[in-house]
Amino acid sequence: MRKLYAMAAVFAIVLLTFLHLRTGPDERGIEATVSRVIDGDTIELANGDVVRLIGIDAPEKNQPYNEDVLDELRKLEGKYVRMEKDVTNKDRYGRYLRYVYLGDHFVNLELVQSGLAYAYSVNPDKKHEDSFKEAERYAMENELGIWKKSDYSDCIVLEKFHYNAKGDDTKNLADEYLSIKNECGSDMEMLGWRVRNRYGYFDIPAFEMDGGSTVRIVTGNGTSSPDSVFLSRDMPIWSNKEDSMYLMDGQGRVVLEKSYRN
Ligand SMILES: [Ca+2]
Ligand SMILES: [Ca+2]
């Protein structure tokens, strides 16, 4: 009889362990130990599950502040964290989409608040979107991390932001552009400058600006000239409805920022 109990107990333990392993980090009490950091917004748990921190977009490899966000996330290694699910369980890469908490610290939010990641909420996972936006505004206002202002921010001026090209934008990419003016008082060479929309970065080919001159940064193709430089995209990059534009200098610092919603 005792043997039977023992066998039943063993069976129960095996079954529970199996269920525990099967269900992923959400359905089972949502807590786990972090084993390592994969990139600025992805971690691996002790059981091998991969978790993408949502509501944020961290700088990628070779982008400014990538090392800083990695250092920050590495503080989670070996720690026991709590995870919260929004609507979507996993992304198409099989990563669990989660908000991560270390004790009282909301890790995703604090990365945005300290300027180490952008706020980036994707439908339908928008539970904390307002908090992320607020955190980002705080980081911007205080010029933290990725929001550090460029030395050029006082004298490179946005003259025009023509995000809505004439007619169908997809067929008129030459008419989607921003114009910037050099009021820095000297000729300058812009190397490694980029623009960023809500979703990602676009490299601007090296260009020069004489003091007092204006240059158009055009979405479509064309031949660079003293007054135009081309991003050579085959799709529009600026939404006609709602977007955020950032112009960054070669150090990744913010020269210009313009958000709009129509
Ligand atoms: Ca557009
Ligand atoms: Ca249009």
Side-chain angles (χ1 to χ4, degrees):
M1 196 65 178
R2 193 180 289 169
K3 214 173 191 178
L4 208 62
Y5 278 128
M7 270 170 67
V10 168
F11 178 74
I13 289 166
V14 168
L15 183 70
L16 285 171
T17 307
F18 178 72
L19 288 174
H20 184 79
L21 290 174
R22 277 285 304 245
T23 47
D26 52 321
E27 290 94 343
R28 60 152 205 264
I30 348 173
E31 289 175 342
T33 304
V34 177
S35 63
R36 68 183 184 108
V37 172
I38 295 176
D39 65 28
D41 41 39
T42 316
I43 55 175
E44 190 178 313
L45 305 178
N47 69 353
D49 284 344
V50 175
V51 175
R52 164 71 159 89
L53 277 68
I54 53 172
I56 70 169
D57 179 28
E60 315 271 325
K61 206 174 172 190
N62 300 324
Q63 290 179 352
Y65 297 97
N66 173 256
E67 280 303 322
D68 304 71
V69 68
L70 290 177
D71 286 347
E72 194 57 35
L73 269 189
R74 284 190 189 114
K75 294 179 186 166
L76 298 179
E77 286 177 351
K79 301 267 170 59
Y80 202 57
V81 296
R82 185 165 64 80
M83 281 166 281
E84 178 194 13
K85 178 172 165 265
D86 202 325
V87 177
T88 312
N89 187 37
K90 281 185 178 184
D91 68 8
R92 61 198 158 109
Y93 307 109
R95 304 180 300 188
Y96 290 93
L97 303 180
R98 294 292 181 273
Y99 303 108
V100 174
Y101 299 84
L102 177 67
D104 294 338
H105 296 274
F106 184 177
V107 177
N108 312 39
L109 188 76
E110 289 182 11
L111 290 177
V112 174
Q113 193 161 26
S114 53
L116 293 179
Y118 297 93
Y120 179 56
S121 293
V122 182
N123 262 328
D125 304 301
K126 294 195 158 189
K127 197 192 281 191
H128 298 297
E129 187 182 24
D130 291 344
S131 309
F132 283 117
K133 283 192 170 160
E134 199 177 305
E136 186 171 69
R137 257 196 306 277
Y138 173 87
M140 255 185 218
E141 278 163 14
N142 291 284
E143 298 184 30
L144 304 175
I146 52 182
W147 302 112
K148 286 220 169 62
K149 281 230 170 93
S150 163
D151 294 340
Y152 302 108
S153 63
D154 294 330
C155 59
I156 296 289
V157 181
L158 182 65
E159 269 213 334
K160 191 171 182 185
F161 188 13
H162 204 243
Y163 52 78
N164 188 347
K166 200 168 177 210
D168 181 350
D169 290 27
T170 60
K171 299 193 172 92
N172 195 11
L173 297 174
D175 196 42
E176 201 194 64
Y177 62 87
L178 52 132
S179 297
I180 56 170
K181 187 170 185 194
N182 174 2
E183 294 186 351
C184 302
S186 58
D187 299 354
M188 295 195 302
E189 195 178 3
M190 280 68 172
L191 280 176
W193 284 41
R194 294 190 289 188
V195 282
R196 185 185 154 87
N197 66 10
R198 278 190 302 169
Y199 302 108
Y201 293 97
F202 305 91
D203 291 326
I204 308 173
F207 64 107
E208 288 172 19
M209 284 187 92
D210 291 345
S213 73
T214 298
V215 165
R216 261 187 200 193
I217 301 168
V218 183
T219 301
N221 282 291
T223 310
S224 291
S225 70
D227 44 294
S228 299
V229 62
F230 296 85
L231 300 173
S232 303
R233 312 305 303 178
D234 49 16
M235 288 294 286
I237 62 169
W238 308 117
S239 163
N240 296 344
K241 282 192 196 138
E242 180 185 8
D243 217 332
S244 295
M245 179 278 287
Y246 309 98
L247 175 68
M248 330 281 253
D249 68 16
Q251 275 78 52
R253 298 192 168 173
V254 182
V255 179
L256 283 174
E257 186 268 335
K258 175 87 183 166
S259 293
Y260 57 93
R261 181 181 285 190
N262 295 312

